[in-house]
Amino acid sequence: MFKVAIVGAGSAVFSLRIISDFTKILEFKDVEICLMDIDESRLNSTYILANKLNEEMGAKLKFKTTTNLEEAIDGARFVINTAMAGGHDYLEKVRKIGEKWGYYRGIDSQEFNMVSDYYTISNFNQLDLFLKVARLVEEKGEKDAWLLQAANPVFEGTTLILRNVPINMVGFCHGHYGVHRLAEVIGLDISKLDWQVAGVNHGIWLNRFLYDGKDGYKVIDEWIGNNVYEPKHPFDDQLSLAAIDMYKFYGQMPIGDTVRNSSWKYNYDLETKKKWYGKFGGADSQIGWKWYQNNIKEITETINKLANFVSMNPNIKLLDYNTYKDYMNNEIFKEEIESIINPKKFSGEQHVPFIDSIVNNKKQRFVVNILNNGAIEGIDNDVAVEIPAWVDSSGIHPEQIMPKLSERVIKYYLKPRIMRMEMALEAFTKGDINVLKELLFRDPRTRSEEQVEGVLNEIMNLPENAKMREYYKR
Ligand code: NAD
């Protein structure tokens, strides 16, 4: 019927979510899914579990694997990019160098850019890979092929690609589910909500919040007046004191990762982070991020273990968790696999429902990253914004953003954040290291020129950054 390529398919949890979503849409019977990754062992685990899931769900998807990017994208109608050049180990290495030079949580953790795997200064290879994938979609993909961007940085990546490569492209994030989390914590029925969010990726704000037709912000205010929220885990920050303080200053509620992407006020050090984000210091503190890294490491190991188990015991039923639960013994994975094997439950990732809307003309609502083109007043047209839109086979139709974002959100949050993105992209596209340096000179943690030169040199001298080094030397 058509071909889908998943780049970075060894990101096993993500791939299994996507693949399981495909198995649950009846119309997708003969879709060919090409799994591509540079890590053969992770790729193989995804392949084994994908085939097993396919068989047990009664779907008729056809899987292939490759370590060759061109081969994966050749003839594809949809390409999903979830690859992370260098992986978490590289980011950790760079973060350590940053800390050594006096940049707590790394040089990329800056005002409105605190999300720990959202590198923009030191992620040359990731931006380079984004462009490579996009150009291959243009050259080798089916006519009018789509690129669905999942890997971070979604904001920089979507803007970079849509400004430079003439393809159909959309960036996705699950940050807007923060609206559901907000409703859940304050005890609201999600089906009675009428909401909108708008902004840029990891910088979205609740511009509309009606509950049962009435002003839902009144309910939020009442909850805030009577409650203090204790986070259950480091990412549980939607009603943290930081979120509430941002709401009071900006006049609208920050949603999802926007709460992490905050100003220095909440992020000077661990003690400050704990004061505003609760006992873990939020997702991006040394405690929170360690927790996250351990979780993904454990899940990746569990998936490899499960793939091994399935290949040695081909008769086990993936859909019957009880048959292998003792072998797995992993609570986080249990939740994940229960959702994956439930034929009626979708993962919540937007990629496959989006493809369903485009291919099968099913009109559905999404929160997408696309060029602004007038959607948010006061923001340039060629900046990627994150907004709600309706999608069908004729494409993406943005909703009118109503009511507008507050003046403070536009002027004091989005514009400075967009300026950072512009500087990161100018440095990358022109190869001008001075723009990266200027970003660091504006950082309150910088005390001297030597510090800026030192940290950048050390990062550029990493073996992984040979291409970056040559590029900026030209
Ligand atoms: P991961 O390291 O576990 O997986 C990434 C995969 O990419 C690995 O299997 C790796 O081998 C592969 N890879 C690396 N370089 C490659 C290349 N050149 N070609 C093909 N494959 C390559 O990382 P993860 O935790 O799954 O995160 C992946 C990305 O998704 C990150 O950028 C992360 O920030 C992003 N992410 C996005 C969202 C969202 O909602 N948009 C949510 C979570 C994570």
Side-chain angles (χ1 to χ4, degrees):
M1 188 191 177
F2 61 90
K3 177 178 172 183
V4 178
I6 304 180
V7 178
S11 168
V13 167
F14 186 79
S15 300
L16 286 183
R17 284 185 194 168
I18 298 286
I19 289 159
S20 71
D21 285 348
F22 268 116
T23 64
K24 293 168 193 173
I25 295 180
L26 291 176
E27 288 93 332
F28 287 151
K29 283 284 178 215
D30 298 312
V31 176
E32 178 190 325
I33 301 184
C34 186
L35 306 169
M36 185 271 156
D37 204 289
I38 51 169
D39 183 328
E40 285 191 55
S41 143
R42 291 178 79 163
L43 191 56
N44 194 38
S45 295
T46 306
Y47 181 67
I48 291 169
L49 295 175
N51 275 313
K52 185 78 178 150
L53 203 58
N54 188 38
E55 177 197 313
E56 289 186 35
M57 289 281 194
K60 297 219 165 35
L61 306 168
K62 296 182 184 71
F63 294 100
K64 279 193 179 154
T65 58
T66 179
T67 52
N68 183 304
L69 189 60
E70 282 193 42
E71 186 187 322
I73 295 177
D74 194 19
R77 183 165 173 198
F78 295 95
V79 176
I80 302 174
N81 183 10
T82 176
M84 184 153 123
H88 289 278
D89 288 348
Y90 166 74
L91 296 188
E92 206 46 48
K93 225 193 245 186
V94 177
R95 189 159 18 249
K96 283 220 169 81
I97 295 175
E99 296 211 316
K100 187 183 126 191
W101 286 93
Y103 295 96
Y104 170 61
R105 303 306 294 145
I107 63 166
D108 278 294
S109 292
Q110 292 201 342
E111 176 114 330
F112 308 134
N113 197 60
M114 297 288 175
V115 178
S116 291
D117 54 357
Y118 202 108
Y119 275 20
T120 53
I121 297 182
S122 52
N123 225 337
F124 178 88
N125 293 329
Q126 184 74 334
L127 296 178
D128 196 43
L129 179 61
F130 285 2
L131 272 188
K132 190 170 168 190
V133 170
R135 291 196 171 121
L136 282 172
V137 171
E138 184 192 6
E139 279 166 34
K140 304 240 162 212
E142 213 182 68
K143 186 173 172 290
D144 298 328
W146 278 89
L147 172 58
L148 280 52
Q149 181 71 29
N152 279 319
V154 168
F155 178 33
E156 275 77 5
T158 309
T159 307
L160 175 72
I161 293 169
L162 284 174
R163 281 181 185 176
N164 293 290
V165 192
I167 52 170
N168 288 318
M169 191 238 180
V170 58
F172 287 121
C173 181
H174 33 226
H176 60 278
Y177 288 117
V179 178
H180 290 182
R181 180 71 189 136
L182 176 75
E184 188 184 48
V185 174
I186 62 182
L188 303 180
D189 175 354
I190 290 169
S191 68
K192 293 184 180 164
L193 290 181
D194 173 0
W195 60 269
Q196 262 189 348
V197 288
V200 299
N201 181 236
H202 295 169
I204 52 171
W205 299 80
L206 189 62
N207 63 307
R208 186 197 299 162
F209 192 60
L210 297 174
Y211 187 61
D212 221 2
K214 299 190 192 79
D215 182 3
Y217 263 109
K218 287 200 173 129
V219 193
I220 300 179
D221 292 340
E222 201 182 312
W223 187 93
I224 290 172
N226 295 306
N227 297 276
V228 174
Y229 189 71
E230 259 304 312
K232 297 189 176 39
H233 55 78
F235 283 68
D236 190 13
D237 59 6
Q238 188 54 67
L239 275 152
S240 59
L241 291 177
I244 291 166
D245 196 58
M246 287 167 87
Y247 162 42
K248 285 182 181 158
F249 181 75
Y250 290 101
Q252 284 167 338
M253 196 76 187
I255 293 297
D257 289 330
T258 316
V259 179
R260 294 160 68 187
N261 244 338
S262 51
S263 83
W264 286 110
K265 178 176 179 183
Y266 319 107
N267 292 291
Y268 289 114
D269 49 29
L270 182 59
E271 205 187 324
T272 313
K273 281 179 181 277
K274 279 185 177 175
K275 176 180 158 199
W276 290 105
Y277 292 100
K279 61 187 172 195
F280 309 104
D284 303 291
S285 71
Q286 46 273 57
I287 303 171
W289 198 244
K290 186 102 218 128
W291 176 88
Y292 177 69
Q293 285 175 320
N294 287 343
N295 271 359
I296 39 176
K297 191 163 165 253
E298 222 176 288
I299 291 188
T300 306
E301 282 168 8
T302 310
I303 285 187
N304 286 336
K305 208 167 136 185
L306 180 58
N308 269 336
F309 190 64
V310 167
S311 56
M312 284 186 298
N313 303 278
N315 294 330
I316 71 143
K317 289 267 167 277
L318 209 51
L319 297 194
D320 184 359
Y321 185 65
N322 287 326
T323 59
Y324 54 97
K325 75 169 194 295
D326 295 340
Y327 184 72
M328 290 295 113
N329 195 21
N330 178 325
E331 272 310 302
I332 314 162
F333 186 68
K334 179 172 180 260
E335 249 178 61
E336 187 69 40
I337 197 82
E338 277 176 352
S339 148
I340 286 171
I341 62 182
N342 182 342
K344 294 206 167 64
K345 202 170 164 193
F346 282 83
S347 69
E349 301 291 351
Q350 301 184 90
H351 309 72
V352 180
F354 178 86
I355 295 174
D356 191 23
S357 288
I358 295 283
V359 173
N360 299 318
N361 197 23
K362 284 189 202 157
K363 194 173 174 194
Q364 299 182 83
R365 189 184 200 228
F366 296 89
V367 174
V368 295
N369 287 265
I370 49 172
L371 291 187
N372 185 36
N373 286 328
I376 301 181
E377 264 179 50
I379 302 295
D380 288 345
N381 284 341
D382 65 347
V383 168
V385 292
E386 187 164 302
I387 48 171
W390 289 86
V391 178
D392 57 23
S393 61
S394 64
I396 301 176
H397 309 284
E399 283 182 5
Q400 188 188 4
I401 302 304
M402 189 60 71
K404 290 179 192 170
L405 287 171
S406 78
E407 251 186 71
R408 282 191 176 181
V409 165
I410 299 275
K411 284 187 183 164
Y412 303 154
Y413 187 95
L414 291 178
K415 287 196 172 172
R417 177 65 188 91
I418 290 167
M419 190 266 291
R420 275 198 98 271
M421 173 278 289
E422 294 291 5
M423 291 177 81
L425 290 195
E426 185 183 333
F428 175 76
T429 46
K430 296 193 178 149
D432 188 347
I433 195 75
N434 289 320
V435 185
L436 293 188
K437 288 182 187 169
E438 186 58 30
L439 265 169
L440 290 179
F441 285 126
R442 295 176 186 202
D443 188 314
R445 297 167 301 177
T446 299
R447 291 279 168 269
S448 68
E449 201 170 340
E450 289 69 40
Q451 188 186 359
V452 170
E453 299 285 347
V455 76
L456 281 175
N457 273 341
E458 196 166 336
I459 289 170
M460 295 228 276
N461 279 325
L462 287 172
E464 294 92 330
N465 286 335
K467 190 171 175 187
M468 176 188 188
R469 199 160 57 237
E470 285 310 307
Y471 183 71
Y472 279 110
K473 254 199 225 152
R474 290 172 316 157

